[in-house]
């Protein structure tokens, strides 16, 4: 390692972790910048440390430390902070490294050692790390914690009153992560949370209602021939698109990328309510183990199904001008709907190879639309 600090008497910086554990470096009264590369005056070439991570202002009786810029992390005696005054014996953590500042001429100050203080320090450390995460990561942690807690309570108590919220919470984890990932990376319009929430609920309610009505009507005409799972896309894909209709005339959400995102939100709303229904059926038939199995499988596969298919169709509909009379005659929209219905049928075929093929082409087409800002060539 390249430690570019002159060896002098006074304050010393002791390494407590890593291959340099036990090594000490003298710090004369001065101002230093500790980072992973020059122009930092203390250079520690480690990827967990920013180019210029902290300031060290070394005085005769103490050392002031503060972050070089916001967004970085610093722990002082296991407590997350942006700045602190260090006494002899205090420890600082930066990245994977732990250091201790020592000055034999300055007596160390007593520190709290109670279990409450340790728990508080760990909690503050977690808060500092959590604060820097992206929104989709935070959503994933929170929804997972809620789902696990509710499932554990249901298993422990067998209370039927918490079954509905448990099913919805377990169904929501992966779809919510996907939605916020898309928003964080691709939403340039600034779609409101109200629009997202109502579109999600519409996909899970209106989408299912329209699906059931059209399926029953088709059954009367065809004698039940088209009720097989293979043909589910014929009802479900138009129904999920219809759930976005309350935003077809919105002037602010007029780009194909807006349609792509809203289509995904509607489709995942449909998937959440559908998964909750399958989970309830599994709970009745196979108990909690069956419920857990169904939710894990459907959660892991949900990003490759309903959300992508409805996103593909909605993006093409937005590109067609959000006018149903024009869209049904538009070749790009027709192709997009055939893609969605066909991939849906391949998935519902129930064979692993078919599901893998459907997932691959769904993801490939969706990524192509993301790269083209929702437009089809």
């Amino acid at each position: 390692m390249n430690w570019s600090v002159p060896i002098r008497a006074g304050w010393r910086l002791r390494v407590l972790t890593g291959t340099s554990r036990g090594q000490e470096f003298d710090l004369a009264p001065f101002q230093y910048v500790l980072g992973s590369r020059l122009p930092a005056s203390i250079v520690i070439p480690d990827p967990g440390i920013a180019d210029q991570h902290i300031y060290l202002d070394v005085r005769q009786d103490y050392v002031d430390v503060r972050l070089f810029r916001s967004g970085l992390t610093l722990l002082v005696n296991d407590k997350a902070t942006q700045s602190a005054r260090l006494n002899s014996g205090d420890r600082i953590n930066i990245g994977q490294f732990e250091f201790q500042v020592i000055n034999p001429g300055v007596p160390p100050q007593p520190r709290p050692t109670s279990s409450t203080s340790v728990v508080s320090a760990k909690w503050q450390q977690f808060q500092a790390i959590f604060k820097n995460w992206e929104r989709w990561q935070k959503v994933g942690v929170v929804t997972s914690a809620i789902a696990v807690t509710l499932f554990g309570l249901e298993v422990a108590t067998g209370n039927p009153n918490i079954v509905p919220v448990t099913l919805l919470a377990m169904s929501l984890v992966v779809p919510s992560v996907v939605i916020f990932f898309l928003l964080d990376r691709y939403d340039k319009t600034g779609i409101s949370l109200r629009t997202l929430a109502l579109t999600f609920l519409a996909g899970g309610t209106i989408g299912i209602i329209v699906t059931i009505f059209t399926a029953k009507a088709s059954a009367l005409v065809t004698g039940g021939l088209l009720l097989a799972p293979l043909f589910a896309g014929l009802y479900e894909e138009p129904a999920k698109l219809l759930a976005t209709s309350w935003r077809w005339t919105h002037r602010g959400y007029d780009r194909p990328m807006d349609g792509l995102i809203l289509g995904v939100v509607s489709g995942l709303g449909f998937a959440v309510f559908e998964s909750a229904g399958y989970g309830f059926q599994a709970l009745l038939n196979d108990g909690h183990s069956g419920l857990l199995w169904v939710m894990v499988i459907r959660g892991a596969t949900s990003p490759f199904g309903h959300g992508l298919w409805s996103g593909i169709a909605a993006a093409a509909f937005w590109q067609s001008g959000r006018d149903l009379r024009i869209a049904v005659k538009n070749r790009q929209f027709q192709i997009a709907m055939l893609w969605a219905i066909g991939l849906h049928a391949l998935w519902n075929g129930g064979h692993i190879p078919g599901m893998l093929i459907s997932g691959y082409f769904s993801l490939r087409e969706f990524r192509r639309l993301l790269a083209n800002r929702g437009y089809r060539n």
Side-chain angles (χ1 to χ4, degrees):
M1 295 184 181
N2 177 19
W3 299 80
S4 54
V5 179
I7 304 299
R8 297 183 182 179
W11 286 93
R12 290 177 291 175
L13 187 68
R14 175 182 292 170
V15 185
L16 300 182
T17 56
T19 57
S20 300
R21 180 179 180 182
Q23 191 170 4
E24 294 183 358
F25 301 88
D26 290 351
L27 299 174
F30 195 67
Q31 291 185 340
Y32 302 86
V33 176
L34 189 153
S36 59
R37 65 178 64 182
L38 295 175
S41 48
I42 303 177
V43 178
I44 305 175
D46 184 82
I49 298 176
D51 294 355
Q52 299 180 87
H53 204 110
I54 60 170
Y55 283 109
L56 287 171
D57 187 2
V58 181
R59 304 295 181 93
Q60 291 293 337
D61 299 329
Y62 60 86
V63 176
D64 279 336
V65 60
R66 62 185 175 90
L67 286 171
F68 189 84
R69 58 179 171 81
S70 62
L72 302 176
T73 57
L74 167 67
L75 303 181
V76 174
N77 297 325
D78 297 321
K79 180 179 179 180
T81 185
Q82 294 185 350
S83 62
R85 176 156 294 183
L86 304 178
N87 296 291
S88 181
D90 285 342
R91 294 174 292 109
I92 59 177
N93 290 76
I94 308 165
Q96 300 299 318
F97 282 81
E98 184 174 24
F99 305 92
Q100 187 176 37
V101 291
I102 302 171
N103 189 336
V106 177
Q109 299 295 318
R111 297 193 301 268
T113 58
S114 68
S115 59
T116 302
S117 298
V118 173
V119 171
S120 176
K122 293 298 182 182
W123 173 245
Q124 290 177 342
Q125 179 181 354
F126 172 76
Q127 285 181 309
I129 297 173
F130 188 75
K131 182 179 179 181
N132 293 324
W133 285 358
E134 293 188 61
R135 208 166 35 156
W136 64 272
Q137 295 172 313
K138 296 177 181 178
V139 167
V141 170
V142 172
T143 54
S144 296
I146 293 173
V148 169
T149 301
L150 286 170
F151 179 74
L153 289 173
E154 170 57 30
V155 171
T157 66
N159 186 347
N161 293 327
I162 65 173
V163 169
V165 68
T166 301
L167 293 172
L168 288 174
M170 295 177 74
S171 303
L172 187 62
V173 175
V174 177
S176 64
V177 171
V178 173
I179 290 171
F180 279 94
F181 177 83
L182 286 176
L183 293 174
D184 290 344
R185 299 294 176 87
Y186 299 103
D187 177 26
K188 305 303 181 184
T189 301
I191 302 175
S192 69
L193 289 178
R194 173 176 174 269
T195 293
L196 295 169
L198 292 179
T199 302
F200 183 88
L201 291 173
T205 53
I206 295 174
I208 289 177
I209 291 171
V210 172
T211 294
I212 292 175
F213 272 108
T214 53
K216 292 298 183 181
S218 176
L220 293 176
V221 176
T222 64
L225 178 64
L226 297 182
L227 288 180
L230 193 66
F231 302 108
L234 291 172
Y235 321 116
E236 294 179 4
E237 295 310 320
K240 290 182 292 180
L241 178 62
L242 186 63
T244 67
S245 61
W246 76 292
R247 278 299 183 242
W248 287 358
T249 58
H250 192 283
R251 293 181 179 180
Y253 307 141
D254 58 349
R255 302 172 182 85
M257 180 62 83
D258 300 329
L260 186 72
I261 293 174
L262 291 177
V264 170
V265 172
S266 174
L268 290 177
F270 187 99
V272 165
F273 282 78
E274 185 181 55
S275 294
Y278 280 112
F280 181 67
Q281 189 175 34
L283 180 63
L284 294 178
N285 296 335
D286 303 309
H288 294 111
S289 61
L291 167 62
L292 181 62
W293 173 253
V294 167
M295 287 306 185
V296 169
I297 294 300
R298 291 192 66 87
T301 57
S302 62
F304 306 99
H306 282 297
L308 298 189
W309 302 329
S310 56
I312 291 170
F317 183 76
W318 253 251
Q319 188 175 347
S320 303
R322 295 181 291 174
D323 189 318
L324 193 59
R325 294 168 298 179
I326 296 175
V328 294
K329 302 176 183 178
N330 183 279
R331 182 172 178 273
Q332 290 176 324
F333 177 70
Q334 293 170 353
I335 293 174
M337 285 300 297
L338 288 175
W339 262 101
I341 293 171
L343 292 169
H344 196 146
L346 193 59
W347 184 278
N348 280 8
H351 301 291
I352 298 298
M355 296 177 68
L356 292 175
I357 293 172
S358 175
Y360 169 77
F361 280 104
S362 299
L363 187 59
R364 191 184 74 167
E365 176 68 8
F366 189 80
R367 292 183 65 182
R368 189 176 69 83
L369 289 171
L370 286 176
N372 292 339
R373 295 177 298 173
Y375 287 89
R376 295 182 64 87
N377 295 329

